[in-house]
Amino acid sequence: MIVEFPYTERAHGMSEAEGLFGDEHVRRYRETGGEVGHLWKRGSKILLLTTTGRTSGEPRTTPLIYEADGDRFGIVASKGGASEHPGWYRSLAKDPDVEVQVRSETFRARARTVSGDERTRLWELAALQWPDYDAYQQKTDREIPVVVLERV
């Protein structure tokens, strides 16, 4: 007799969070206070960034890889190396006041794009979380922005 077991992520070495993406990632992160969704693929850490849509004025939440820098959080507007900036980053240009959730803590923050030595240092920290950022930069002519989120 052959018994077939249903495919499960845990049985195949994946956590539930590794299969999450987009709105489903946001939903599971929120309903579990980050227990599911804070740690993602390859051990990267995820926060939820809520911006105000630049044309709709509606709140939009995006799960993003981050690296802590003291009491600040660094994020990268890579969009996988696409030629244009991600929507959440374009929204920050219009309104840098955001809401951030890290695990179960939610707080207001102001987003600021960094440059020069600060960008270089934060890029290196971010690449420790997600080494693919260097490959993404090679795929595009734009300088991929690095953003810090500072509590207000």
Side-chain angles (χ1 to χ4, degrees):
M1 174 172 145
I2 298 175
V3 177
E4 291 190 30
F5 294 95
Y7 177 88
T8 64
E9 293 166 334
R10 291 190 194 284
H12 288 81
M14 292 173 55
S15 73
E16 175 185 353
E18 287 179 296
L20 295 176
F21 189 76
D23 291 342
E24 180 67 7
H25 198 152
V26 171
R27 184 183 68 76
R28 289 294 290 142
Y29 196 112
R30 283 185 171 153
E31 69 187 17
T32 66
E35 284 292 319
V36 175
H38 178 257
L39 290 180
W40 194 54
K41 294 178 181 179
R42 293 185 265 165
S44 60
K45 298 176 295 194
I46 301 292
L47 59 71
L48 300 182
L49 176 71
T50 302
T51 58
T52 301
R54 67 191 176 287
T55 55
S56 70
E58 297 294 318
R60 304 280 187 233
T61 302
T62 307
L64 296 170
I65 295 169
Y66 77 92
E67 181 59 51
D69 180 45
D71 60 352
R72 309 177 320 163
F73 299 89
I75 56 176
V76 177
S78 69
K79 198 175 181 184
S83 60
E84 71 280 343
H85 295 311
W88 64 263
Y89 181 77
R90 294 186 312 243
S91 293
L92 293 179
K94 185 170 183 181
D95 184 358
D97 295 322
V98 298
E99 181 179 274
V100 177
Q101 181 175 344
V102 177
R103 296 187 179 192
S104 62
E105 182 186 12
T106 302
F107 55 91
R108 301 296 304 164
R110 174 151 296 163
R112 177 175 59 85
T113 302
V114 296
S115 60
D117 291 343
E118 185 178 24
R119 181 191 181 279
T120 300
R121 187 178 65 76
L122 290 173
W123 178 274
E124 290 170 358
L125 281 176
L128 292 174
Q129 279 297 313
W130 197 253
D132 295 352
Y133 286 142
D134 290 324
Y136 297 164
Q137 185 60 78
Q138 296 302 312
K139 286 173 48 176
T140 185
D141 291 332
R142 70 182 173 95
E143 180 177 76
I144 295 175
V146 176
V147 175
V148 294
L149 304 170
E150 299 169 306
R151 295 170 189 265
V152 293

